[in-house]
Structures are given as structure tokens and as C-alpha cells.
Amino acid sequence: MAMSRETLMKFLTDAFPDAEINLVDTAGDNDHWQAEIVSSRFAGLTRVRQHQLVYDALQGHMGGALHALALKTRAP
């Protein structure tokens, strides 16, 4: 079971309402995504902590409905 662009975007926009989010389906299967997220929530945080916030936003779906997610995160 894959995760649609709309579902993934909803998780991310709910967690990061101010963010600029760019999603790319890298394999064309709704299962391998690349996300670039620019959010003020990332200001002053390490890259690891930024990515942890994204994984938290996915509410346990990483590794299940969402198989792979390449992340690029930064503050504006």
C-alpha cells in the first residue's frame, strides 16, 4: 500500500502550515518520495532534529505506507 501525493502533502502541511513543500515521486510508484521542506519551525535546529520533526508528522507511516522518503529541510 503506497501513500498518495495528497496524503503525504496533508501530513506535511498539517505539521508545517507555513512551509514551502516540494514533493517528487522519484520512482513513479507513490512509494519513493523526495521532499524539500522550508519551514520557520526548523530555525535553529540541527538537520537531524528537523528530520525527526518530519518523521513525527508522518504519524508512524514511515516504513509502512511510505517506503522511502529523501528529505531536504531548512529554515527560510
Side-chain angles (χ1 to χ4, degrees):
M1 181 172 155
M3 182 175 289
S4 71
R5 173 183 299 276
E6 293 77 21
T7 301
L8 179 54
M9 186 62 84
K10 177 156 178 32
F11 280 120
L12 296 175
T13 56
D14 284 353
F16 308 100
D18 74 317
E20 291 178 36
I21 301 170
N22 182 33
L23 294 177
V24 176
D25 183 353
T26 60
D29 60 3
N30 284 337
D31 209 24
H32 297 80
W33 291 97
Q34 176 179 304
E36 183 173 352
I37 306 169
V38 181
S39 173
S40 60
R41 285 195 59 201
F42 297 145
L45 300 178
T46 65
R47 184 71 39 91
V48 169
R49 185 64 189 128
Q50 292 173 16
H51 290 195
Q52 287 172 336
L53 289 176
V54 174
Y55 292 133
D56 289 347
L58 298 173
Q59 302 175 15
H61 292 283
M62 190 68 222
L66 183 59
H67 177 72
L69 179 64
L71 289 174
K72 294 181 182 178
T73 56
R74 63 181 173 89

